[in-house]
Structures are given as structure tokens and as C-alpha cells.
Amino acid sequence: EIVLTQSPTTMAASPGEKVTITCRASSSVSYMHWFQQKSGTSPKPWIYDTSKLASGVPDRFSGSGSGTSYSLTISSMEAEDAATYYCLQRSSYPLTFGSGTKLEIK
Amino acid sequence: QIQLVQSGPELKKPGESVKISCKASGYTFTDYAMHWVKQVPGKGLKWMGWINTYTGKPTYADDFKGRFVFSLEASASTANLQISNLKNEDTANVFCVRGYGFAYWGQGTLVTVSS
């Protein structure tokens, strides 16, 4: 089983601040996928195939990485970005999620 | 538009069974697998497994073998999850998710197990 380790677990950012969330895999994966979840709602696809933004995702978000190290970056934090972000690998079964990063606005 | 609509919340006692449904619309049901994801309140996401909606073959993650059954009513574009012999630790929100991209999620079904 591929274990995904996300960091940080929680963080707070000020409006306009750059934010980076990392996801490290215990074995190499082909792609990483990211989801955004706000309280009481279903996760939403956010970034797929490592760097492609899902429909409607603002272009201040970006994704990058390869092998065992991936990241989600927000170039300039906005209040609406406060949420929990999860990474997901679909390269091998069982599919696994990271434990999540809770991002808050300062 | 593509939608996955799940059945409503359930309150069950330990040892009982529950069946959750996920009705798909807006696409050809048998063209995409259906996955199931568990989320304990306040915790992270855990993949339970998936079902091939064309063949009906289910695949379960190790933690979900034995008491969990994925099934289909393909004529109704519906995927089901049945959990038997419920335990307190089954209390969770359960999501159905369309395969190939995980782009579409059901709204979640909260299963509460309490005596």
C-alpha cells in the first residue's frame, strides 16, 4: 500500500500570502490528484494529473511534482480558499488518500 | 448534467444491516466504475473499493472485506453498498464517486451506529 504523507496538517495564511501543501508518497506514483473539501460538503476535484486544474478552479492554484513528491500551491491566498485539501494516488491499488491539510485564513 | 444522488441518513443499532444507494444520471452508467469512500466525522477520506458497473465485479480494500457488499441495479443506474453486522466504528459519511478522475461525488450518506 502506498502511504501518502501530507504536510502541514494545519496551517493559517494571511490574504495574499503564498501557500504550499506537500504530499509525499512512500513509493513512486505516476500522478497526484487533489481535492478540496469544505465543512459539511462532498470533496471537490481540484487538481488532477498532478498539474491540471479542475473546471472552475482559480488559476492562483497550481500543482507540481513527480515520483514521490508533489505539491499544491496557492500563489495568493484568498478567504474562499480556506478548506481541507486531500491528495489521492490512483497509480496502484488500494487507492490511498493523504490525511489532509486544513488551511485557515488569518 | 451528471449527478450522483445518494439515499438518506441512517440510524442503526450494532449488529443490524444497512443498504445505501447511489443513483447516477446524466451519463451512461456502465461506462464508468463506481467507487466508495468512507469519512468518519471530523477525519480523513478512506477508499473502500470499487465495482465494475459493466461486469458487476466488486473489488474491496482490505479493511472492507467480509461485511461490505457492493452491488448494482444497472437497469436503474444505481450502485448499492450494503454493510452487515454494523459496529460502532462504521459510523461515518459514505460517498459514492464516479471512476476515471473522481470528478463526480455523491452528496454522502451519514450512517450512525449507536445502541
Side-chain angles (χ1 to χ4, degrees):
Chain A
E1 171 176 326
I2 296 177
V3 176
L4 301 182
T5 302
Q6 278 186 245
S7 60
T9 302
T10 61
M11 68 175 297
S14 301
E17 187 176 346
K18 182 178 180 179
V19 172
T20 299
I21 298 169
T22 64
C23 180
R24 289 193 164 78
S26 58
S27 299
S28 181
V29 299
S30 302
Y31 298 99
M32 192 62 72
H33 314 279
W34 295 87
F35 296 83
Q36 181 198 67
Q37 186 179 35
K38 295 191 175 182
S39 184
T41 68
S42 306
K44 293 181 180 177
W46 213 245
I47 295 174
Y48 65 99
D49 292 351
T50 300
S51 60
K52 299 174 183 175
L53 300 185
S55 176
V57 175
D59 62 7
R60 61 181 178 273
F61 283 87
S62 63
S64 64
S66 65
T68 62
S69 185
Y70 293 84
S71 62
L72 177 157
T73 299
I74 308 172
S75 61
S76 178
M77 176 76 181
E78 295 195 10
E80 66 178 14
D81 302 335
T84 300
Y85 294 86
Y86 294 94
C87 54
L88 165 70
Q89 69 80 20
R90 294 190 288 125
S91 294
S92 70
Y93 287 109
L95 307 190
T96 48
F97 290 91
S99 55
T101 294
K102 185 175 184 179
L103 174 61
E104 299 173 326
I105 188 82
K106 279 185 187 173
Chain B
Q1 74 281 23
I2 295 168
Q3 281 191 302
L4 301 177
V5 178
Q6 298 183 225
S7 49
E10 301 273 4
L11 174 60
K12 296 290 185 180
K13 291 181 167 46
E16 294 184 336
S17 296
V18 69
K19 189 174 185 177
I20 300 164
S21 66
C22 170
K23 182 169 177 59
S25 61
Y27 70 96
T28 301
F29 182 69
T30 51
D31 281 354
Y32 297 86
M34 193 67 77
H35 294 251
W36 293 91
V37 173
K38 175 182 178 179
Q39 186 171 38
V40 173
K43 302 295 185 183
L45 303 168
K46 189 173 179 72
W47 181 74
M48 302 174 72
W50 68 287
I51 185 165
N52 184 317
T53 55
Y54 187 76
T55 65
K57 180 185 175 186
T59 300
Y60 303 96
D62 284 348
D63 286 349
F64 300 98
K65 291 178 179 175
R67 299 185 296 113
F68 300 81
V69 176
F70 305 147
S71 64
L72 302 174
E73 296 169 49
S75 61
S77 299
T78 298
N80 301 306
L81 163 62
Q82 182 158 348
I83 311 172
S84 59
N85 189 21
L86 283 162
K87 306 177 186 304
N88 290 331
E89 53 264 39
D90 293 325
T91 294
N93 214 355
V94 177
F95 298 97
C96 58
V97 189
R98 197 184 80 164
Y100 190 66
F102 275 47
Y104 299 95
W105 292 60
Q107 83 275 20
T109 296
L110 180 62
V111 177
T112 304
V113 183
S114 175
S115 53

